[in-house]
Amino acid sequence: MTQLHKKTALLSSSLRMICTDYDGTITEPEHQPISFSFFERLAAWRRHGPVYWVINTGRTYENLRDDLIARKVPIWPDWIVALEREIWLVRDRRGVGWFEWNRRCELLHAQLFESVQPLWKLIEDYIIHHTQAQLVEDAGSPLGIIASCTEEADEISAYMTPLLEDWPTLTAVRNSIYFRFSHKFYHKGACLEAISSGLNVQPLQILAVGDHMNDLPMLDRRYARHLACPGNAVGEVKERVRSQGGYVAKASVAEGTVEAWDKLFPLPSQH
Ligand SMILES: [Mg+2]
C-alpha cells in the first residue's frame, strides 16, 4: 500500500460522527446532568477534526430541546432526530427543521394513519378490556400506549404483531413500556443515513449507540459500522450489537457510551 493509500484508508476509517440515543444512553432520568466525560471525549475528538454529534431520540424536538437546557449541556448536538423520524439541524442551539424530509414524512404518516383507521379501534378495545395499560396522546401517532410493566408490553406486542401484517408499511415502535406507530420507511436508521449521506460521512466513520428497542433500526451496520450499547441496554439490543461485532459496555448510560467509544475509537495520539 502506498503512503497516499494508507493515508486515505486511515482518514476513511476515522471517526466523523457519533449518533447516540438520549434517554438511557447518555442521560439518567430526572434532570441529572449528563456525565461530563461524554463532553470531554467529544471535545477531545474535535481537537483532531470535525466530529458530528447526532442525538437520535423518540422525544419531540421541543421536549428534547427543553431537556438539554434543563440539564445545562455544555455542547449541543449538531443534528437531532426527534420522534424517531423528524430531522433537525441545530445552529446556535436552535433547531432548523429539514423541511423536505419532515414534510414528506408528515404527509406519508397522515395518509398511512388515515388508511389504517379500522386497526385503531381493535387495538383500543384490546387495551381497554384486556390490559392495565393506558392509552395516551402522542405527538407522532394517533395512538400512544403505556403498558403497566414490561411483561404486559410483551403481551401487547404479541397481540399486535399479527394484526400489523395486514398493513405492511405500518410498524409499532416500542421503547420499553411505550408504544407508538410509524411508517416503516421512517426510523432512527433511515434518519441517520439521510443525515450522514448529506454530509458525505461513510458508515465506516460512524459510531451508533443505543439502549432500547426503538434503537434497533439504527444499530445496524448498514448505517453505522461501529455499534455499541451501555450496560443497562435491554437484552435484545445487547444481542443485536454483539451479533454484528459491536461492543457491549459494562458501565451504564453515558459512562457506558464513553467506555464503548474509547474501545471502538481510541483517541488519536496527540503527536
Ligand atoms: Mg433509550
Side-chain angles (χ1 to χ4, degrees):
M1 195 184 268
T2 66
Q3 282 302 100
L4 180 63
H5 281 130
K6 271 186 194 163
K7 198 169 179 188
T8 309
L10 195 67
L11 279 176
S12 65
S13 61
S14 176
L15 180 68
R16 296 276 321 278
M17 179 178 284
I18 174 162
C19 176
T20 65
D21 167 51
Y22 191 63
D23 297 275
T25 299
I26 57 166
T27 61
E28 311 266 359
E30 303 300 330
H31 299 300
Q32 293 168 28
I34 298 171
S35 165
F36 202 69
S37 56
F38 178 83
F39 298 105
E40 279 177 342
R41 202 58 84 257
L42 187 56
W45 265 95
R46 284 179 172 175
R47 286 195 281 276
H48 295 275
V51 173
Y52 300 104
W53 175 28
V54 180
I55 292 183
N56 209 328
T57 180
R59 293 184 184 230
T60 62
Y61 168 75
E62 291 77 12
N63 184 287
L64 179 72
R65 177 200 60 200
D66 293 349
D67 203 73
L68 291 171
I69 293 167
R71 293 188 205 246
K72 300 185 171 64
V73 296
I75 301 175
W76 277 53
D78 303 288
W79 293 82
I80 289 170
V81 175
L83 291 168
E84 291 124 2
R85 62 183 190 237
E86 281 178 10
I87 299 179
W88 297 74
L89 165 67
V90 181
R91 269 198 200 132
D92 299 328
R93 305 191 172 203
R94 287 188 187 188
V96 183
W98 182 349
F99 180 79
E100 293 83 359
W101 176 278
N102 294 345
R103 181 75 182 132
R104 183 161 189 272
C105 174
E106 193 182 329
L107 285 172
L108 276 180
H109 278 87
Q111 284 175 346
L112 174 65
F113 292 153
E114 182 67 30
S115 75
V116 297
Q117 283 292 350
L119 180 67
W120 306 137
K121 179 82 175 79
L122 278 176
I123 294 175
E124 270 180 14
D125 284 350
Y126 171 77
I127 296 295
I128 292 167
H129 299 296
H130 299 279
T131 74
Q132 305 295 313
Q134 296 174 55
L135 291 166
V136 292
E137 298 252 336
D138 186 300
S141 172
L143 268 191
I145 302 169
I146 306 179
S148 60
C149 60
T150 308
E151 291 71 26
E152 187 176 65
D154 292 341
E155 284 168 24
I156 293 170
S157 195
Y159 170 78
M160 292 195 299
T161 301
L163 292 180
L164 290 170
E165 284 170 8
D166 290 338
W167 284 279
T169 55
L170 182 70
T171 53
V173 183
R174 177 177 171 187
N175 181 12
S176 178
I177 55 169
Y178 303 90
F179 293 89
R180 69 156 56 106
F181 296 86
S182 188
H183 193 293
K184 80 165 188 184
F185 293 165
Y186 289 87
H187 50 70
K188 288 190 175 195
C191 292
L192 171 57
E193 182 180 44
I195 294 169
S196 59
S197 64
L199 296 167
N200 198 25
V201 174
Q202 311 302 316
L204 198 60
Q205 303 168 312
I206 303 173
L207 167 61
V209 194
D211 75 315
H212 228 290
M213 309 282 276
N214 63 338
D215 297 311
L216 291 175
M218 75 168 178
L219 295 173
D220 184 322
R221 282 170 57 87
R222 265 180 301 182
Y223 308 121
R225 205 57 64 79
H226 307 274
L227 306 172
C229 61
N232 55 293
V234 296
E236 290 92 332
V237 167
K238 287 180 174 171
E239 182 49 40
R240 186 73 66 89
V241 166
R242 270 195 204 105
S243 71
Q244 297 177 92
Y247 183 78
V248 177
K250 291 176 189 65
S252 294
V253 195
E255 296 296 335
T257 295
V258 172
E259 177 192 327
W261 190 342
D262 287 345
K263 180 77 184 173
L264 297 172
F265 279 104
L267 260 175
S269 146
Q270 300 292 329
H271 305 291

